[in-house]
DNA sequence: CACTAAATATGACACAGATCATAATTTTGT
DNA sequence: ACAAAATTATGATCTGTGTCATATTTAGTG
């Protein structure tokens, strides 16, 4: 099931401007959201206002399934990183997609597996490893998605919010890793080689 | 799909004694494991030998799907907590289960969603919260599964291995939470009220 | 019941990373 | 090309939790 097919079925496209909140923790899930264009981040926020990035979702992907499927209030905020167009698919329709479209079902299982894999990896890091190790792991993970010579389009703040560290610690850590030759940086940007 | 049906299909039951290793990190997944009897823990281990409990699986449940489904080497050890009987279902059979048994597929999706929910919760805790908050969260989570008056059958060491803390920190933290009346303990055991 | 092992408890000290303050550099918008 | 904003950088403390050492309590076993 892709976006076009959903549109063909007559589902409405909703437009959100950058930094709009799509849903908040504590609220009851009613939809699964398919992204037509744009990008969203899923973040949990501590009492002191510190953000942790649970995931980032781009055009063609969907988010918000787990809470809907197990019927639990959301844990996280979902916020647009750019102007974004979404299609909200209600519970009934989403369940019928799973039941009636074997490909969609298989695909969803693999998507959930990928996310579990990432979260397991990060849990090990946050539970057991110190700053430099965490940083190297997330950086290598992110480098997978880009091609040689390109650089990572993430700020130190974002790395901090993915690793549970503070910006200053990330800045010092990245510098250290570059010094040891474990990563390559050009003008502060982390580059794949 | 339940254990009996797998047995009826002629799948072999393998027996493991307590503390046997079923698989190790780095190896390539070939099976999904269904638990007939017993219990296993999934743990990642740091270079310094510190364990983190990624999950615990009991009779009737299965484990090892994500790595198999996305075709990536295991991240964790899986080790029996007790004498355990397993049925190993190979990739082909597992895929056919998903394709041909809609109920199984739906069930798997919900199981994966539950695990994602737990891991998201723990990631937020490990990334943003300090010892006491982490402890209270995991304790409340575990208390959900038992009835009033019963006590948690986990040691401080196990709480430590679930929260990324050290035993001493857990011991001090539990004592503190009990002192503040946020949890109830009897002879050191954490009791549901 | 006694004996041993495992789990819980407690104190002293160390240290990674947080926090705070301020500066330098790079990016973005006009 | 310039100003403003965002990001990166760096130093000086502070602090929660790890580490280590040792003691006490509870559970398990013949």
């Amino acid at each position: 099931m892709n976006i076009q097919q959903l549109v063909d079925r007559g589902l409405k496209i909703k437009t959100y401007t950058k930094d709009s909140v799509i849903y908040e923790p504590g609220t009851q899930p009613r939809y699964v959201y398919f992204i037509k264009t744009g990008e969203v981040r899923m973040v949990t926020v501590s009492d002191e206002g510190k953000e942790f990035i649970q995931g980032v979702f781009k055009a063609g992907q969907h988010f918000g399934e787990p809470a809907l499927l197990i019927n639990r209030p959301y844990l996280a905020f979902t916020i647009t990183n750019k102007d974004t167009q979404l299609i909200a698919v209600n519970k009934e329709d989403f369940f019928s997609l799973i039941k009636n479209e074997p490909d969609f079902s298989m695909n969803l299982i693999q998507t959930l597996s990928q996310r579990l894999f990432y979260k397991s990896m990060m849990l090990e890091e946050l539970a057991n490893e110190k700053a430099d190790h965490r940083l190297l792991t997330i950086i290598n993970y992110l480098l997978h998605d880009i091609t040689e010579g390109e650089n990572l389009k993430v700020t130190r703040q974002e790395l901090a919010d993915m690793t549970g560290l503070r910006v200053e610690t990330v800045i010092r850590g990245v510098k250290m890793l570059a010094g040891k030759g474990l990563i390559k940086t050009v003008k502060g940007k982390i580059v794949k080689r």
Side-chain angles (χ1 to χ4, degrees), chain A:
Chain A
M1 178 60 44
N2 61 40
I3 305 292
Q4 191 52 51
Q5 291 170 298
L6 292 173
V7 173
D8 293 348
R9 288 186 180 200
L11 288 169
K12 293 264 171 56
I13 297 169
K14 264 186 105 172
T15 302
Y16 295 78
T17 56
K18 183 170 150 63
D19 294 320
S20 306
V21 174
I22 297 155
Y23 59 68
E24 295 184 25
T27 58
Q28 205 63 33
R30 296 174 55 210
Y31 305 105
V32 167
Y33 298 88
F34 287 69
I35 307 178
K36 185 167 188 293
T37 63
E39 183 181 298
V40 307
R41 69 180 186 277
M42 192 174 291
V43 295
T44 46
V45 181
S46 75
D47 306 335
E48 297 86 47
K50 195 177 164 214
E51 285 197 11
F52 176 75
I53 299 177
Q54 294 276 359
V56 173
F57 302 90
K58 298 171 196 275
Q61 303 185 305
H62 38 85
F63 62 87
E65 318 83 357
L68 184 80
L69 285 163
I70 65 174
N71 201 36
R72 290 256 230 157
Y74 292 120
L75 289 178
F77 288 91
T78 308
I79 304 173
T80 53
N81 277 340
K82 313 174 178 175
D83 290 356
T84 297
Q85 294 178 299
L86 298 179
I87 297 172
V89 176
N90 69 33
K91 196 165 184 166
E92 196 179 64
D93 289 349
F94 188 67
F95 272 77
S96 103
L97 276 183
I98 294 174
K99 280 221 192 315
N100 304 324
E101 310 245 0
D103 282 3
F104 180 76
S105 179
M106 188 64 198
N107 223 290
L108 176 60
I109 289 169
Q110 291 188 323
T111 303
L112 295 177
S113 293
Q114 290 246 28
R115 291 189 208 157
L116 267 172
F117 200 86
Y118 174 77
K119 288 192 196 276
S120 298
M121 180 186 86
M122 290 311 293
L123 272 174
E124 157 65 16
E125 292 294 326
L126 298 200
N128 281 343
E129 310 291 354
K130 30 183 95 93
D132 304 336
H133 194 287
R134 281 190 215 182
L135 275 172
L136 192 53
T137 298
I138 191 88
I139 288 171
N140 284 332
Y141 183 85
L142 295 174
L143 285 174
H144 247 146
D145 292 342
I146 66 171
T147 58
E148 208 171 302
E150 270 198 303
N151 61 53
L152 285 186
K153 275 149 208 68
V154 287
T155 64
R156 309 283 135 119
Q157 183 62 61
E158 285 169 324
L159 287 176
D161 291 348
M162 285 187 262
T163 52
L165 301 169
R166 289 289 171 171
V167 223
E168 297 92 329
T169 307
V170 172
I171 288 167
R172 291 186 247 254
V174 166
K175 180 147 281 192
M176 210 277 275
L177 292 173
K180 283 193 179 172
L182 293 169
I183 60 175
K184 186 185 169 193
T185 57
V186 173
K187 281 228 201 116
K189 291 286 166 200
I190 299 161
V191 180
K192 179 159 187 173
R193 61 165 162 223

